[in-house]
């Protein structure tokens, strides 16, 4: 099963529901989230060795306070930009170093921009979301774990969670 590592932020879903209904990941069951590594390894490969490597990579990281104040975008999409992306970037870098065979977005992008996608679709929809969504900002959330989600025939399902406890 295809998997991804995310900072799941389900507490933001009520505030974002209106827009996230235009996000295919949300329609497939993925809560509001910031993607860390996608695609990740096949779920059958997540064994005790991989779990130990995950825990080791996450050891230095405590919970991450997130605040979303602005919108960003990419062709066909609108996302929320974290006010302070540094902690997320460091987390992505640590995970990518621990799992070099699974770079973020399959290595398709030289620079990974942390974001929370709220809508994808045609230009008119994206423009409308760009006008409406700022009225809901700022939004804040606390990420206390890295979550492993798997994509089944029925959509995204939570498989495992790795606490951010900051012991490093």
């Amino acid at each position: 099963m295809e998997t991804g590592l995310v900072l799941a932020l389900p507490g933001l879903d009520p505030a974002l529901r209106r827009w996230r209904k235009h996000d295919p990941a949300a329609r497939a069951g993925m809560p509001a989230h910031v993607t860390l590594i996608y695609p990740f390894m096949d779920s059958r490969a997540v064994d005790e060795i991989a779990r130990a490597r995950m825990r080791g990579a996450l050891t230095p990281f405590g919970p991450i306070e997130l605040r979303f104040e602005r919108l960003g975008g990419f062709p066909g999409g609108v996302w929320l930009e974290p006010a302070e992306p540094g902690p997320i970037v460091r987390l992505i870098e640590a995970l990518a170093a621990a799992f070099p065979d699974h770079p973020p977005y399959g290595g398709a992008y030289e620079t990974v921009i942390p974001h929370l996608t709220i809508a994808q679709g045609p230009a008119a929809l994206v423009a409308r979301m760009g006008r409406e969504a700022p009225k809901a900002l700022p939004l804040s959330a606390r990420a206390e774990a890295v979550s492993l989600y798997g994509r089944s025939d029925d959509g995204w399902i939570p498989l495992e969670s790795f606490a951010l406890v900051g012991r490093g």
Side-chain angles (χ1 to χ4, degrees), residues 50-73:
R51 287 181 186 93
R53 213 173 353 154
M54 179 75 66
R55 286 189 292 274
L58 298 177
T59 295
F61 297 93
I64 300 173
E65 300 293 336
L66 298 166
R67 184 172 169 87
F68 299 94
E69 299 173 347
R70 293 190 320 228
L71 289 179

Side-chain angles (χ1 to χ4, degrees), residues 130-150:
R131 288 189 304 274
E132 293 177 5
K135 297 172 187 165
L137 300 178
L139 293 172
S140 296
R142 179 179 170 95
E144 297 185 354
V146 169
S147 298
L148 176 69
Y149 271 76

Side-chain angles (χ1 to χ4, degrees), residues 81-139:
E81 178 182 336
E84 177 47 55
I88 301 168
V89 169
R90 289 187 290 280
L91 184 56
I92 292 169
E93 289 170 346
L95 290 167
F99 297 94
D101 292 341
H102 304 285
Y105 300 102
Y109 306 101
E110 190 172 313
T111 302
V112 175
I113 300 171
H115 63 279
L116 190 163
T117 300
I118 60 170
Q120 294 183 46
L125 170 71
V126 169
R128 189 179 89 212
M129 297 298 112
R131 288 189 304 274
E132 293 177 5
K135 297 172 187 165
L137 300 178
L139 293 172

